[in-house]
Amino acid sequence: ENGKWKMENGATSPPTCNENVTYPSFSIRRDSLLRAPLLRAPLRVAAKRCGLVAAKRYGLSLLNTVAHLQRERSPSPIFHFPFSIFHFPSHSSLTRRRFERILLIKPSSLGDIVHALPVLHGLRRRFPQARIDWLVAKSCAGLLAGHPDIAELVIFDRRRFGRLGRSLEAGVEFHRFLRMLRRRGYDLAIDLQGLFRSGFLALASGAPVRIGFADARELSWVFYTHRISVPADVVHAAEKNYAVAHLLGFSDVDMTFDLALGEAERCNGARMLQAAGLADGARFAAVLPGARWETKRWFPERFAEVVDELASEHHLTSVLMGGPDERRACESIAGRCRCQPINLAGRTGLRELAAILAQAAVVLCHDSAPMHLAAALGVPMVCILGPTNPARTGPYRTDATILQAGLPCVPCYLRKLSHCRFNHECMHTISPTEVTGAIASILQKQP
């Protein structure tokens, strides 16, 4: 009442586990918490990882945070529960509507963030004077740092907030984060992640217009005021994200993957290569053997054969690259080589990595974030793919050679080798000779 939550016992403090939170049309009790449709999917994950008791605490802390925020006086309450969630307005045209404060929600992963860049580009062309913020995970923020189309990065620390329900400090910090999000006064929130957490954050932003996908997972679609039904013929993740352009009126803007690399960043990348031993202006192959899924990774000894072949037959130096997690894999490859490749694994930030990739003659990689970075930069590449579908998550509209085994089990989308019944045959089928031949074909086209 009057922008405050009404407690049925008249209490003014946050409800405890034994109290009910009375909403305009129903109340949620502790015993029925895990049956609440909005919380079922995330709480099932929490119960599996941390146990049933911890899952209940997580759900209660979430509800207590919502109640805590709603009780604070404000011109308009944060949540008009349940009507702001379950009432879907008609799809009135937004193509001519003006928005001044926009929140783009795409926290992770790096490849997915690259796929969302055309939406940022289109929003800036459609709303040149608007403030556009991007909610991004702390681990991925470096890629977007300094982008001229972004007013501010809203950092979501998943590791810190992941302790919600198990730590009072995490609950307080999450409460502050939601208050900060609300105070920014967004009038449009676009959720391109499509998970319960990202949908909830779109609602918590207080934006009256919240856009997301109709087929979003974990019931996150209930948080949106406008849901996008992606056409059946749209396969690639980048095109799916760009479906928002038709709703907001910038479908005439070409899809552009703009990383906004400056000349200073490119010069810094060149200096790093020279400091590592590459001659000024010399061509090189960027080799990135890492991937998050172990089923996506080719074999170190085969990478080493390719590196030696490029050095002996094409006089091309290989630069091994990747994050700190790929340092061991790159060291393993370098140790097996007869030549001396340059190893920069774990020594570059995300934008430094992009600046070096932009100068490579060719990129050799898996289905990984660097593959999408190289595609966004328009660098020729050879991609070794295993369990994934290149039409869905492969390099988008670029000069890329895809090497993938034509097996009946491909794509399987298995992440662990222990789940593969065919001894990782999709990667064993691809030989070093096939890879070097694909790279040689690309090099022959270059001046």
Side-chain angles (χ1 to χ4, degrees):
E1 295 177 350
N2 298 322
K4 300 174 66 175
W5 281 93
K6 177 183 177 183
M7 305 296 175
E8 66 178 16
N9 62 355
T12 58
S13 59
T16 64
C17 294
N18 295 322
E19 294 177 318
N20 299 331
V21 182
T22 301
Y23 300 93
S25 62
F26 66 91
S27 63
I28 294 180
R29 295 179 179 274
R30 184 178 190 275
D31 296 336
S32 62
L33 179 63
L34 292 179
R35 295 194 297 273
L38 295 180
L39 301 176
R40 188 177 299 149
L43 292 186
R44 186 183 295 119
V45 175
K48 183 177 180 181
R49 293 183 178 180
C50 310
L52 187 61
V53 174
K56 288 185 176 182
R57 289 175 181 171
Y58 171 81
L60 287 167
S61 65
L62 184 62
L63 292 177
N64 289 350
T65 298
V66 171
H68 216 35
L69 285 166
Q70 188 68 16
R71 285 202 314 274
E72 299 200 3
R73 292 185 181 273
S74 61
S76 59
I78 293 177
F79 299 99
H80 299 278
F81 195 97
F83 305 108
S84 65
I85 298 180
F86 295 104
H87 173 64
F88 299 105
S90 61
H91 268 258
S92 59
S93 175
L94 300 177
T95 57
R96 292 182 297 275
R97 186 166 173 178
R98 307 300 300 177
F99 294 100
E100 297 179 356
R101 304 181 72 86
I102 302 172
L103 177 64
L104 187 59
I105 302 175
K106 190 64 173 178
S108 60
S109 58
L110 286 175
D112 293 337
I113 288 175
V114 173
H115 291 156
L117 286 174
V119 176
L120 173 66
H121 176 79
L123 286 172
R124 179 52 68 202
R125 299 304 174 273
R126 171 72 171 82
F127 308 105
Q129 304 302 322
R131 175 189 177 93
I132 303 177
D133 294 348
W134 190 313
L135 191 148
V136 63
K138 186 177 181 179
S139 59
C140 301
L143 182 63
L144 299 172
H147 198 294
D149 288 343
I150 301 174
E152 186 176 351
L153 295 177
V154 180
I155 306 300
F156 183 83
D157 193 340
R158 182 178 178 181
R159 179 174 298 181
R160 181 177 62 177
F161 295 144
R163 296 182 288 114
L164 188 67
R166 293 175 290 168
S167 166
L168 176 62
E169 181 183 2
V172 172
E173 290 177 347
F174 187 61
H175 175 211
R176 290 173 179 168
F177 178 80
L178 294 183
R179 290 183 62 187
M180 176 274 296
L181 204 62
R182 170 70 176 180
R183 285 196 299 264
R184 292 171 179 261
Y186 296 113
D187 50 12
L188 171 63
I190 304 172
D191 177 19
L192 298 180
Q193 194 78 357
L195 298 176
F196 179 89
R197 178 178 61 250
S198 59
F200 173 78
L201 292 175
L203 179 66
S205 72
V209 177
R210 302 180 298 277
I211 299 175
F213 299 114
D215 61 349
R217 293 174 289 171
E218 299 178 358
L219 296 178
S220 58
W221 50 267
V222 302
F223 296 114
Y224 310 142
T225 60
H226 295 75
R227 294 173 290 171
I228 306 170
S229 296
V230 181
D233 59 340
V234 173
V235 178
H236 200 279
E239 292 181 341
K240 179 180 179 180
N241 289 336
Y242 210 65
V244 71
H246 298 277
L247 186 62
L248 291 175
F250 57 89
S251 57
D252 58 328
V253 179
D254 292 336
M255 291 181 62
T256 302
F257 297 82
D258 184 13
L259 288 169
L261 285 177
E263 188 61 29
E265 291 175 308
R266 295 176 184 269
C267 291
N268 184 46
R271 284 193 295 268
M272 290 188 67
L273 291 171
Q274 293 177 25
L278 186 69
D280 186 17
R283 295 198 308 168
F284 66 95
V287 179
L288 300 108
R292 292 180 63 185
W293 300 3
E294 57 184 4
T295 52
K296 292 182 178 181
R297 302 172 196 155
W298 207 37
F299 310 104
E301 61 274 12
R302 298 195 178 187
F303 271 113
E305 288 186 46
V306 172
V307 170
D308 285 335
E309 182 72 13
L310 293 178
S312 61
E313 296 297 327
H314 301 279
H315 307 289
L316 193 68
T317 301
S318 294
V319 179
L320 305 176
M321 303 183 69
D325 295 340
E326 282 87 47
R327 185 176 297 167
R328 181 175 298 180
C330 289
E331 291 175 350
S332 176
I333 294 171
R336 299 168 188 264
C337 292
R338 298 188 303 272
C339 64
Q340 294 295 323
I342 296 173
N343 188 357
L344 293 180
R347 295 168 55 185
T348 62
L350 292 174
R351 294 190 68 81
E352 291 172 329
L353 171 65
I356 293 176
L357 289 179
Q359 302 174 55
V362 63
V363 172
L364 175 60
C365 58
H366 299 123
D367 180 359
S368 59
M371 177 192 73
H372 299 297
L373 285 176
L377 295 166
V379 182
M381 72 179 84
V382 173
C383 307
I384 303 174
L385 268 61
T388 55
N389 182 1
R392 178 177 165 187
T393 58
Y396 186 72
R397 292 183 183 176
T398 189
D399 184 11
T401 300
I402 305 296
L403 299 180
Q404 188 172 38
L407 300 175
C409 58
V410 174
C412 64
Y413 296 105
L414 297 177
R415 302 190 178 197
K416 295 184 178 295
L417 291 175
S418 58
H419 297 164
C420 177
R421 297 180 294 128
F422 304 105
N423 193 31
H424 210 197
E425 186 64 25
C426 60
M427 286 298 181
H428 282 285
T429 302
I430 301 173
S431 66
T433 302
E434 187 177 0
V435 174
T436 53
I439 294 176
S441 297
I442 291 176
L443 295 176
Q444 288 175 0
K445 300 176 184 177
Q446 297 178 356

